[in-house]
Amino acid sequence: MKLFRRLLLRWYDRAARPLPWRTNAGPYRIWVSEIMLQQTRVAAVLPYYERFLARFPDAASLAAAPESELLALWSGLGYYSRARNMQSAARKIVELGSFPRDYDQIRRLPGVGDYTAAAIGSIAFGLPYAVLDGNVLRVLSRLTNDAGDIASTVVRRRLHEKAQALLDPGRPGEFNQALMELGAIICLPRAPQCLLCPIAELCEARRLGVENQLPVKLGRVKQVRVHKTLLLAERNGRVLLWQRSCGGRMNGFWELPEAGQLPEARHLETLHEFRHSITNHSYVFTVVSVRVRGNPEGFSWIKRALLNEIPLSTTARKALARSEV
């Protein structure tokens, strides 16, 4: 156990990526990064993180912000309930007078689960709580040659107990980050870089030659393929959009119309296609340039120059970014 900690932390001290939330980051900045990184790749988060903190440098500014401005800044990052939960949590932090330092209090913040509370608590305050995310599950299943289904609650509990036993009590935050970093850049889902792994000599799956067979995840949800057509109508530097107002996570976001919403639109040309995935749905969007008459009811002509100032859906943003009209 001590050897594992020593090898892992020595490697992390040398090889850790210089991410902005790892330097001079207090609990607020760490919290922002952890929420953004939920189900989102580091590369996608980086530009959002800096812009977000420039506008909302503390919990008070985030708590007081208009929701439309918050969503506009978050637009394109996806999973928008995260942004709304963050604002609710920011208001709670303001009520408390400071960021909570106790694990249970951190866990009670809106949008914070076991993993996020452990990450914030260990990194920001040195609390001895092990994290368990996808990267850590993969590392530990290979390290211990655990062939159990990682979607199983029993297996996750078993691997979490292993992570807690391995946790370095003197450097819990760095240890958690090191284990996640190992899964992110070395112990990859496909073709793990075992020759570069600092703990390869301790890995049971590597010893038995079964590292590519782990982790096991049974009952994967089959992808549902969906084809949709988006209509791009422009007039005098303005784009025709509609705003969702039926509640739910996308409430308040602006969208391009779909084919069935503007049956009278005149087709000009097909511009491009792009793919977009949400959970188990794989979408293929065809973007078509159209001409419409007047001002269709329920739609608004929005200046292109203002599109970055409104909450624009990820699909609309992708369609507009790739269109040359």
Side-chain angles (χ1 to χ4, degrees):
M1 195 172 297
K2 289 183 178 180
L3 176 60
F4 178 88
R5 294 168 180 165
R6 184 167 66 251
L7 291 174
L8 180 65
L9 287 170
R10 184 186 301 164
W11 168 80
Y12 180 72
D13 289 339
R14 181 182 70 254
R17 291 170 292 178
L19 301 175
W21 46 83
R22 288 179 175 167
T23 55
N24 301 318
Y28 174 78
R29 294 172 65 90
I30 292 169
W31 168 62
V32 170
S33 72
E34 289 298 334
I35 299 299
M36 285 189 168
L37 287 166
Q38 290 174 355
Q39 298 178 286
T40 308
R41 295 177 296 105
V42 167
V45 164
L46 285 171
Y48 284 89
Y49 180 76
E50 297 294 357
R51 288 198 300 266
F52 191 92
L53 288 175
R55 172 59 186 87
F56 307 123
D58 50 37
S61 58
L62 175 55
E67 184 181 271
S68 60
E69 185 178 357
L70 169 62
L71 293 177
L73 204 59
W74 196 275
S75 179
L77 198 55
Y79 300 99
Y80 297 104
S81 60
R82 293 181 297 174
R84 293 188 172 99
N85 282 333
M86 282 186 73
Q87 188 164 56
S88 297
R91 290 168 180 157
K92 181 65 176 178
I93 293 167
V94 171
E95 287 178 15
L96 293 171
S98 63
F99 202 98
R101 302 176 63 92
D102 173 79
Y103 173 87
D104 290 330
Q105 281 191 314
I106 297 172
R107 178 65 179 79
R108 285 195 289 269
L109 292 174
V112 173
D114 294 341
Y115 159 77
T116 304
I120 296 169
S122 63
I123 299 169
F125 304 116
L127 301 180
Y129 290 87
V131 299
L132 193 71
D133 69 350
N135 286 323
V136 174
L137 281 168
R138 185 166 58 256
V139 170
L140 294 181
S141 68
R142 288 170 174 165
L143 176 71
T144 61
N145 189 32
D146 192 320
D149 179 8
I150 60 169
S152 159
T153 301
V154 173
V155 174
R156 284 175 174 262
R157 185 181 302 118
R158 180 166 69 233
L159 292 175
H160 186 261
E161 290 172 356
K162 181 65 175 180
Q164 192 65 44
L166 289 170
L167 184 71
D168 190 319
R171 298 177 63 187
E174 289 90 345
F175 180 90
N176 279 334
Q177 292 180 88
L179 207 53
M180 291 186 285
E181 189 82 340
L182 188 69
I185 66 176
I186 298 292
C187 196
L188 303 173
R190 297 178 181 83
Q193 307 296 300
C194 296
L195 294 179
L196 301 176
C197 180
I199 58 166
E201 64 185 87
L202 305 177
C203 180
E204 277 297 296
R206 171 66 173 170
R207 183 180 68 82
L208 297 170
V210 296
E211 64 273 13
N212 285 304
Q213 300 172 32
L214 298 173
V216 172
K217 188 173 184 180
L218 304 175
R220 294 180 184 273
V221 178
K222 185 178 180 180
Q223 284 281 309
V224 178
R225 295 188 179 276
V226 181
H227 291 261
K228 290 193 173 187
T229 299
L230 299 178
L231 306 182
L232 177 55
E234 290 201 305
R235 180 188 298 166
N236 300 324
R238 297 170 185 263
V239 179
L240 191 67
L241 301 171
W242 64 281
Q243 188 176 30
R244 292 182 179 271
S245 59
C246 56
R249 63 184 180 84
M250 295 297 292
N251 186 59
F253 276 81
W254 292 85
E255 303 272 10
L256 285 172
E258 295 183 21
Q261 293 176 287
L262 293 174
E264 303 301 322
R266 179 185 171 192
H267 184 289
L268 296 179
E269 63 174 318
T270 298
L271 299 174
H272 62 85
E273 287 188 348
F274 69 91
R275 297 180 182 275
H276 182 69
S277 296
I278 303 176
T279 58
N280 64 320
H281 284 70
S282 178
Y283 293 90
V284 177
F285 288 96
T286 300
V287 183
V288 175
S289 173
V290 299
R291 181 175 297 147
V292 299
R293 294 181 179 179
N295 303 305
E297 185 177 354
F299 294 85
S300 299
W301 292 99
I302 307 295
K303 291 181 179 179
R304 263 192 178 268
L306 299 179
L307 293 180
N308 287 329
E309 300 178 19
I310 63 173
L312 195 63
S313 74
T314 301
T315 53
R317 191 172 296 278
K318 285 183 177 181
L320 290 164
R322 302 179 190 191
S323 299
E324 297 179 3
V325 181

